[in-house]
Amino acid sequence: MRLSSLLIVTSMFTGAAVLSLVTASFAVSAIEQNSEISVRRTLDEAQMGWAEVQSNGLTVTLSGTAPSEAMRFRAISTTGTVIDATRIIDGMDVVPTLGLVAPRFSAEILRNDSGISVIGLIPASTDREAVLAKLSELAGDLPVADLLETADYTPPEGWEDALGFALNALAVLPRSKISVDSGQIEITAIADSAEEKAALERDLQRRIPPALIMALDIAAPRPVITPFTLRFVLDEQGGRFDACSAQDDEAQERILNAARAAGLTGTARCTIGMGVPTPRWAEAAEKALRAVAELGGGTVTFSDADVALVALEGTSEALFDRVVGELENSLPDVFALFATLPRPENASAEGPPEFTATLSPEGLVQLRGRLSDPALRELADSYAKARFGSASVYTAARVVEGLPLDWPLRVLTGLEALSKLENGVLRVTPDNLSIRGMTHNEEGNAEIARLFSSKLGETETFEIDVAFREPPQPTDVAPSPEICEAGLAEIMSSGQITFEPGSATITASSLDTMNAIADLLTICGDIRLEIQGHTDSQGRESMNEQLSQARAQSVLNELRARRILTTNFIAKGYGETRPIADNSTEEGREENRRIEFRLIRPEPSVPEAEKTLDAVAQDSATSDTGGEGTGDEQN
């Protein structure tokens, strides 16, 4: 019995061991199979079908030929996302790389007044020492910066020709940059004049090797003309230029055409250079040349922005005044016109001494006539500049002797009166002081009269002819809120603000509309505005109301981001409660999904009389009600 029991126990243990081995074998096979299938599927999804997968127990071996080292590493990393990296065995090969390609040989040589520098990569077979020796010879006492590198490869075709031509060209180009490549060369240089530029271009084109491609850019800087001058004379001999300057070919053509129309004889040219006081130089010259022609002759001189027009002796004073006035008003603002009408030598006496000051509508002041001494001329010039601005005053008065003792007082008093006008003319003579012009001050006449009386005395003779005109309305007044509301509606009619489906995010296609709205609101200023959000009837009413509120708030936030003053703006969502189209059609629902801008208008107030009548009526009703109650109680 004991032997039988022991046999039974032994058999049980043996069976259990065999069963465990069989189970473990099946488990290992299942793990191997699952691992291999999972890894293979992952690699296929990553477009790495070249990789082979083989499992052996818990390890997975990757084999195959990877296109590159990066792809091999990527296959290992991808497999590591499926199984533990310690279970991966790398058995992959990599496609062998081709032989190294020869590098691109190039060099860049820069030469200027500071020396020569050369940088680039050249073949080892190029005689580097000979190149540097040539550059040192060209540089003379100036330094040569050597930043060349070499590579031991066969020189490309055309390299030696390009480098040799570059060194030869550098000898005649003291300010240049030359880029050298195999079979081609690019030259950028500066010449001292247009003539030198043309000569260099001809010389280089003649010397270039036949197989070499050259890109040539030689600039000849325009001279700096100071002052920028033009002088045209038209007399009995015809028209001619004593000097002519222009900023470019187009300006030269315009000036010469205007001169031919004015009577230019023969050929002429303008010096093209830098230093023009304004891009409208040609326009001003055209107008001045036409004025000389209309006067029948004379001289016009431009010196930067100063224009001097001298008519021929004997020119009609009325014609002179008209032409000069038209020219003065049409010249660009930067120019100052000084016109002179010479008096004939055999004319009668000059007449009484006179000082005049003119104030143009643009604020320009011209002081002309006679002053008693240089100190008064300097004082009048300084006083006028203090009143009207230094850049606005031109003084052309001359000093003469024999003027009245009170001449300085009369001149300075007249200038003070002129400063009270918007434009006008002051005329001072020994016997009279007159001022005429226009002012925006209703009390202008009275103030000038008080000034003359207090400074000159009540017995002095003076004339005042000053007209009052209402000041012009400012041009930058903001439009009314109603106009702004209409403008917003017009913008929205041409392009609605749209949102991402089911969200409050404004689509990129609506940014132009938002920009247009922001531009208009910037002009409108501080107005009270309600930004209304509306939806269609799809979905729950509460959700539509929340969505419309969020969309209106998004529009408000966008305006704030554009730095629009939104203190008086309100975002309000109305959901589906205010449709403007039929919600049963897609077109109608699309119209109902919208943003609107509405003015917040104050509620109309009830007149006091209506309030009183309402109160009386209410009191009367109360009294009647109270009376009926008493009667009921009595009954």
Side-chain angles (χ1 to χ4, degrees):
M1 290 296 294
R2 292 183 59 191
L3 181 59
S4 177
S5 299
L6 183 60
L7 182 60
I8 292 171
V9 171
T10 301
S11 299
M12 292 177 62
F13 274 106
T14 300
V18 172
L19 182 61
S20 298
L21 289 174
V22 172
T23 303
S25 177
F26 278 110
V28 169
S29 298
I31 292 174
E32 289 179 354
Q33 187 176 5
N34 289 337
S35 298
E36 184 174 337
I37 293 173
S38 299
V39 171
R40 188 179 300 279
R41 182 188 302 114
T42 303
L43 291 175
D44 288 342
E45 292 174 353
Q47 305 297 321
M48 288 184 284
W50 51 265
E52 298 293 335
V53 182
Q54 185 178 2
S55 61
N56 184 10
L58 295 179
T59 62
V60 174
T61 302
L62 299 179
S63 60
T65 303
S68 64
E69 186 65 31
M71 292 298 292
R72 184 190 70 83
F73 181 76
R74 183 182 172 194
I76 296 174
S77 302
T78 303
T79 304
T81 63
V82 180
I83 63 174
D84 190 87
T86 58
R87 296 170 54 192
I88 303 172
I89 297 176
D90 180 14
M92 294 177 289
D93 296 325
V94 180
V95 175
T97 58
L98 300 176
L100 294 177
V101 179
R104 175 177 173 268
F105 291 110
S106 64
E108 188 168 285
I109 309 173
L110 178 65
R111 182 183 182 186
N112 54 33
D113 296 336
S114 300
I116 298 176
S117 64
V118 56
I119 185 172
L121 179 66
I122 64 175
S125 60
T126 299
D127 191 346
R128 176 174 178 172
E129 297 301 325
V131 171
L132 295 178
K134 178 67 173 179
L135 294 178
S136 298
E137 179 184 348
L138 295 176
D141 297 333
L142 298 176
V144 175
D146 175 20
L147 302 175
L148 288 175
E149 299 288 343
T150 60
D152 192 8
Y153 288 89
T154 302
E157 184 178 359
W159 168 259
E160 296 297 339
D161 288 343
L163 182 60
F165 180 75
L167 295 176
N168 292 332
L170 195 68
V172 297
L173 300 172
R175 295 185 299 278
S176 60
K177 183 187 75 170
I178 303 179
S179 300
V180 183
D181 209 331
S182 57
Q184 59 184 17
I185 187 171
E186 182 178 345
I187 299 176
T188 304
I190 298 177
D192 292 330
S193 65
E195 293 76 11
E196 184 184 14
K197 171 188 174 182
L200 288 172
E201 289 175 343
R202 288 193 301 269
D203 181 52
L204 293 174
Q205 291 288 357
R206 187 178 64 253
R207 294 162 55 183
I208 186 172
L212 187 62
I213 300 174
M214 178 176 65
L216 186 59
D217 181 14
I218 300 179
R222 295 175 295 169
V224 177
I225 303 174
T226 177
F228 218 75
T229 308
L230 182 148
R231 178 177 172 82
F232 181 76
V233 179
L234 181 62
D235 53 21
E236 63 276 1
Q237 299 177 1
R240 64 186 181 277
F241 279 108
D242 289 342
C244 181
S245 305
Q247 71 268 33
D248 52 37
D249 292 331
E250 180 184 356
Q252 174 183 239
E253 188 65 22
R254 292 177 59 181
I255 293 172
L256 294 180
N257 287 337
R260 295 186 189 101
L264 174 66
T265 56
T267 60
R269 63 180 297 272
C270 297
T271 302
I272 298 178
M274 297 183 292
V276 64
T278 171
R280 302 178 67 182
W281 172 267
E283 176 190 346
E286 289 174 327
K287 296 178 183 297
L289 293 174
R290 282 197 295 268
V292 172
E294 193 170 354
L295 288 172
T299 303
V300 62
T301 304
F302 282 75
S303 179
D304 286 334
D306 294 328
V307 184
L309 176 64
V310 180
L312 292 178
E313 187 176 297
T315 301
S316 166
E317 187 169 349
L319 174 63
F320 178 80
D321 291 341
R322 180 180 64 80
V323 172
V324 170
E326 292 174 353
L327 178 60
E328 188 171 27
N329 290 328
S330 63
L331 281 175
D333 293 338
V334 70
F335 291 96
L337 175 65
F338 314 110
T340 303
L341 178 60
R343 293 181 179 274
E345 294 181 358
N346 57 355
S348 57
E350 293 184 349
E354 181 180 273
F355 171 82
T356 60
T358 59
L359 171 61
S360 72
E362 295 79 15
L364 301 177
V365 176
Q366 295 186 13
L367 308 182
R368 299 181 181 275
R370 306 176 189 181
L371 295 174
S372 55
D373 55 62
L376 176 58
R377 181 168 62 184
E378 183 176 352
L379 179 61
D381 180 73
S382 299
Y383 183 82
K385 289 179 177 178
R387 286 284 187 173
F388 304 102
S390 299
S392 302
V393 177
Y394 173 77
T395 301
R398 60 191 179 99
V399 176
V400 297
E401 298 179 353
L403 296 176
L405 294 178
D406 64 345
W407 196 259
L409 176 62
R410 299 166 69 83
V411 168
L412 296 178
T413 301
L415 290 176
E416 183 176 354
L418 188 65
S419 68
K420 298 180 180 295
L421 304 182
E422 299 300 319
N423 60 79
V425 178
L426 168 70
R427 183 172 179 266
V428 180
T429 63
D431 302 326
N432 191 25
L433 189 153
S434 67
I435 187 169
R436 57 186 176 85
M438 184 272 292
T439 179
H440 294 325
N441 180 10
E442 290 188 79
E443 298 296 324
N445 266 306
E447 290 181 4
I448 294 175
R450 287 193 293 269
L451 173 66
F452 284 174
S453 298
S454 62
K455 293 292 182 69
L456 305 177
E458 296 181 356
T459 59
E460 288 292 330
T461 302
F462 52 83
E463 299 176 4
I464 302 174
D465 182 12
V466 175
F468 165 73
R469 293 181 185 173
E470 292 285 347
Q473 294 295 326
T475 58
D476 57 349
V477 176
S480 67
E482 289 75 15
I483 294 178
C484 291
E485 183 182 33
L488 291 170
E490 183 177 353
I491 293 174
M492 296 299 292
S493 65
S494 59
Q496 274 285 345
I497 300 174
T498 58
F499 301 85
E500 298 291 344
S503 75
T505 302
I506 299 175
T507 60
S509 61
S510 299
L511 294 182
D512 289 341
T513 301
M514 289 300 307
N515 291 335
I517 292 172
D519 292 341
L520 177 58
L521 291 177
T522 300
I523 301 173
C524 291
D526 190 13
I527 61 174
R528 301 185 66 199
L529 198 65
E530 182 180 71
I531 304 173
Q532 299 180 355
H534 302 276
T535 66
D536 57 25
S537 60
Q538 300 292 307
R540 291 186 308 212
E541 183 176 350
S542 59
M543 294 294 293
N544 287 336
E545 183 176 352
Q546 294 174 7
L547 179 60
S548 63
Q549 177 65 41
R551 289 179 170 178
Q553 187 64 44
S554 291
V555 174
L556 179 59
N557 294 339
E558 277 292 326
L559 293 176
R560 287 173 177 164
R562 285 166 169 76
R563 308 182 74 86
I564 301 300
L565 183 62
T566 59
T567 307
N568 292 327
F569 289 9
I570 297 174
K572 175 69 173 176
Y574 287 93
E576 60 188 72
T577 60
R578 297 187 178 183
I580 60 174
D582 188 0
N583 273 315
S584 63
T585 64
E586 178 59 33
E587 294 78 8
R589 290 192 293 272
E590 184 176 354
E591 289 187 46
N592 289 331
R593 297 190 295 269
R594 69 195 188 279
I595 292 291
E596 293 183 348
F597 296 86
R598 300 295 183 186
L599 286 179
I600 301 176
R601 292 178 170 83
E603 296 182 0
S605 58
V606 180
E608 197 65 34
E610 293 184 13
K611 290 183 180 180
T612 304
L613 291 175
D614 290 344
V616 171
Q618 186 174 2
D619 291 343
S620 176
T622 303
S623 301
D624 293 343
T625 303
E628 291 173 1
T630 304
D632 290 342
E633 290 176 356
Q634 290 176 352
N635 289 334

